[in-house]
Amino acid sequence: MTMIINGAEVRSPEDPRMSLLDLLRDRLGLSGTKKGCNQGACGACTVLVDGERMLSCLALAVQYDGRTITTVEGLAGDGELHELQAAFIEYDGFQCGYCTPGQICSAIGMVDEVRRGVPSTVTEDLVSETVALTPGEVRERMSGNLCRCGAHNGIVEAIMRTYAVADAGPAT
């Protein structure tokens, strides 16, 4: 059984109890994905599975056979940061940086949800096929990713500047 992680084929662990987070960090050395609460409450472990955001601490690695997983390390390409990674730097979307990888992966998945027309609890028009990416939408949709430093304004600004102001196509 194999999965694709950041473009590389990886064998599933022999221990079926190993979390996806532990596979990424302990076996593969991908330390960008953080272990925060290890209970699915903080979002520090968020990765993208087939483009959708997923809490890797709650996922058993063997469940992702044949799937494509992207961590924060897999977002950059050709020596260049992903546009959202660059925006986090430009708009001070981090202080200590611990939650940043999960915030970035979550935001990329969240933007894809918005583009698909998936409503949130603050979406005004629930029958519309499009959802406006407003600061309120971003704050609601990113509420599962905690920042203990209080960099939320910079995080929202980075997301808004990257996706709402200049929608450059697919989020991934």
Side-chain angles (χ1 to χ4, degrees):
M1 295 181 20
T2 62
M3 58 191 87
I4 305 298
I5 299 178
N6 295 336
E9 191 171 287
V10 174
R11 289 184 54 85
S12 295
E14 291 183 23
D15 183 353
R17 300 167 297 170
M18 179 178 273
S19 72
L20 180 57
L21 175 61
D22 289 340
L23 172 71
L24 295 171
R25 291 186 58 81
D26 299 339
R27 184 166 152 210
L28 302 177
L30 296 170
S31 59
T33 305
K34 304 299 185 210
K35 185 177 277 193
C37 66
N38 209 29
Q39 298 176 356
C42 73
C45 68
T46 304
V47 297
L48 298 169
V49 177
D50 296 332
E52 294 186 22
R53 51 190 172 162
M54 175 72 56
L55 298 172
S56 63
C57 74
L58 297 180
L60 295 175
V62 296
Q63 294 175 291
Y64 295 91
D65 178 47
R67 312 267 311 262
T68 300
I69 298 158
T70 305
T71 68
V72 71
E73 292 95 341
L75 295 175
D78 298 325
E80 296 290 322
L81 292 175
H82 184 280
E83 62 184 332
L84 187 57
Q85 290 172 312
F88 263 64
I89 294 168
E90 183 177 353
Y91 296 102
D92 297 322
F94 60 92
Q95 286 182 29
C96 80
Y98 196 83
C99 72
T100 304
Q103 295 273 2
I104 290 172
C105 286
S106 186
I108 291 169
M110 177 267 305
V111 167
D112 189 51
E113 292 166 9
V114 169
R115 289 182 177 150
R116 290 192 328 260
V118 177
S120 76
T121 60
V122 299
T123 302
E124 290 186 28
D125 185 354
L126 297 177
V127 296
S128 176
E129 292 184 21
T130 60
V131 175
L133 190 61
T134 64
E137 279 284 346
V138 170
R139 287 181 191 283
E140 171 61 26
R141 291 170 184 268
M142 294 295 293
S143 64
N145 289 82
L146 304 179
C147 172
R148 289 168 175 87
C149 297
H152 289 94
N153 290 335
I155 291 166
V156 172
E157 184 72 12
I159 295 167
M160 292 298 296
R161 295 292 179 162
T162 301
Y163 295 110
V165 175
D167 191 348
T172 55

